Amino acid sequence: MRIVLVGFGAVGKALVGMLEAKAEELYRAHGLSPRVVCVIDSGGAAVAGRGLSAAALLAAKTRGGGGGGSVAGIEAEGAVGLRGVEAERVIKDTAADVLVETTPTSVRDASRAMGHLRAAMGAGMHAVSVNKGPLAVAMPALVQLAAHNRVMLRYSGTVGAGTPVLATARTLAAGDRIVRVRGILNGTTNFILHRMQTAGESYQDALAEAVRLGYAETDPSADVDGIDTATKVVILANAVMKMGATIGDVRVSGIRDIERSRVREAAERGMSVKLIGEIDATVGARGGAGRALSVGPAEVERGGPMDVPRNVNAVEFTLEKSGTVTLVGRGAGGDETATAIVRDLVEIWHEGGGGR
Ligand SMILES: NC(=O)c1ccc[n+]([C@@H]2O[C@H](COP(=O)([O-])OP(=O)(O)OC[C@H]3O[C@@H](n4cnc5c(N)ncnc54)[C@H](OP(=O)(O)O)[C@@H]3O)[C@@H](O)[C@H]2O)c1
């Protein structure tokens, strides 16, 4: 299976390292031999039909000094570095079976990542995206494009990173009907709310602590304003409930204005305040006032399965026949997200989409 990887940051690096470390196991268990034939970052591309090694790619990245280098600076036998090239052109010109998209998520401008996915699927490649941006703004169109080109589109790392939220939802939906989903899908906001509850901190102090520990970006808007959670709600609603939704269909409010007193009062009543993404499957996605998709602060039972600490994620599925099922796990991390990509690649391979 020949892979084009777009983005060589935390997730991309973890993926290339993992594919090397698991090469023997993937072949033994699945007959799968993945080969990364092209890597693209913001400075250019590295291409090698026989495969690129993690060591050579990492060396090229560090050669720029202060981590500022590009994979285009690759120095390895049989590899070619291309500086300042247009990613879409390189994708179209590379003979490969699967594209893996790991560039930064942006909902405001998802056009670049969308271009990468379109170029790949248009050229007959399957696509794996951990980038939520294109899926949040145009998932129905991307699903159609994949079907039109008879290729597979996978995105399990977009919700829950390594925790298999989408796979679990699909399994549950196969035998029962999912009536409602409630999820704590953003680690940064959960960390902040947990600190406010357990350490009695203000929102600002808890946010500063989250930034200090590397849980939050210096610009945490996408997290604290609920946008990140909303992207995951859209992906879940479409993947499992076939709602055909986009981010505009979600009623969103974040946690910026949460007062310490609200968190304290809830705790006194035996409840914890969380940022909850919710899908009500009994209402259509665009159901007006009774909108099916929402994100906002809400309460969960203190000490219950959804009362997860720090930056942990949790998703509660309410089923028509079987009651509730709650999945708890880590929702972020380069290695964690890379495991989801490997799962997708294995799935594509088993469904006959792996090339040679
Ligand atoms: N990290 C997580 O825990 C996690 C979890 C789930 C999902 N995700 C998603 O996974 C994606 C990657 O996350 P990350 O943490 O690996 O991000 P990251 O460390 O910031 O890496 C992003 C990579 O994309 C490259 N890039 C940026 N713009 C590009 C462009 N126009 N063309 C080609 N390459 C470009 C960057 O190039 P340079 O190296 O040249 O800067 C960098 O290599 C994001 O969409 C994120 O939302 C991440």
Side-chain angles (χ1 to χ4, degrees):
M1 177 189 271
R2 296 161 303 176
I3 297 168
V4 175
L5 170 65
V6 198
F8 194 61
V11 176
K13 286 174 186 160
L15 176 69
V16 177
M18 196 171 287
L19 291 177
E20 281 186 11
K22 287 168 82 76
E24 225 174 274
E25 187 189 326
L26 287 169
Y27 186 71
R28 217 179 326 111
H30 305 284
L32 171 62
S33 297
R35 194 166 15 122
V36 179
V37 295
C38 174
V39 176
I40 306 170
D41 64 15
S42 65
V47 184
R50 294 175 61 181
L52 293 155
S53 75
L57 290 163
L58 288 171
K61 273 315 250 183
T62 42
R63 233 185 323 271
S70 165
V71 292
I74 192 138
E75 287 176 8
E77 208 189 313
V80 177
L82 306 165
R83 283 196 189 276
V85 282
E86 201 213 333
E88 282 182 42
R89 187 75 264 149
V90 179
I91 293 165
K92 285 180 189 153
D93 288 348
T94 304
D97 306 296
V98 184
L99 173 117
V100 179
E101 161 54 48
T102 74
T103 64
T105 288
S106 167
V107 171
R108 232 172 280 143
D109 182 11
S111 57
R112 278 220 184 139
M114 191 97 78
H116 302 155
L117 294 172
R118 282 210 183 104
M121 293 197 285
M125 288 178 216
H126 307 289
V128 175
S129 184
V130 291
N131 185 340
K132 300 167 283 270
L135 293 157
V137 302
M139 190 162 163
L142 287 169
V143 169
Q144 265 182 13
L145 189 66
H148 178 76
N149 287 291
R150 296 171 182 269
V151 295
M152 291 174 245
L153 171 66
R154 293 288 183 273
Y155 38 79
S156 40
T158 54
V159 187
T163 305
V165 177
L166 294 170
T168 303
R170 280 199 196 96
T171 303
L172 293 171
D176 205 334
R177 192 168 90 87
I178 299 176
V179 180
R180 188 166 80 140
V181 182
R182 293 182 90 209
I184 295 163
L185 297 164
N186 180 270
T188 307
T189 46
N190 200 60
F191 179 86
I192 293 169
L193 292 168
H194 184 244
R195 285 286 297 196
M196 288 176 75
Q197 182 175 319
T198 54
E201 285 178 348
S202 67
Y203 165 78
Q204 283 304 342
D205 288 347
L207 171 60
E209 183 63 3
V211 172
R212 193 184 70 78
L213 292 174
Y215 291 143
E217 306 285 327
T218 20
D219 176 8
S221 316
D223 293 326
V224 300
D225 293 335
I227 305 301
D228 177 71
T229 301
T231 62
K232 293 165 182 170
V233 162
V234 167
I235 295 169
L236 249 170
N238 290 342
V240 189
M241 283 103 149
K242 312 288 175 226
M243 284 188 174
T246 61
I247 192 121
D249 299 317
V250 192
R251 195 180 59 229
V252 187
S253 60
I255 64 161
R256 260 182 216 273
D257 303 325
I258 288 273
E259 299 280 348
R260 223 182 314 199
S261 56
R262 173 164 177 200
V263 174
R264 193 177 52 237
E265 278 160 24
E268 283 164 8
R269 285 184 281 105
M271 305 299 278
S272 299
V273 177
K274 301 288 187 189
L275 183 68
I276 300 280
E278 182 163 341
I279 304 168
D280 180 349
T282 60
V283 186
R286 298 179 180 82
R291 277 221 194 154
L293 312 178
S294 62
V295 174
E299 295 180 7
V300 302
E301 194 192 339
R302 208 169 166 189
M306 288 285 280
D307 190 18
V308 286
R310 297 175 69 84
N311 60 339
V312 176
N313 282 199
V315 188
E316 177 193 78
F317 299 96
T318 304
L319 301 156
E320 196 172 54
K321 307 279 186 226
S322 314
T324 60
V325 171
T326 309
L327 185 67
V328 173
R330 280 188 240 163
D335 280 336
E336 289 83 343
T337 309
T339 67
I341 298 174
V342 174
R343 280 204 308 265
D344 284 346
L345 294 174
V346 168
E347 206 176 292
I348 288 172
W349 171 248
H350 281 303
E351 289 184 28
R356 286 163 287 143

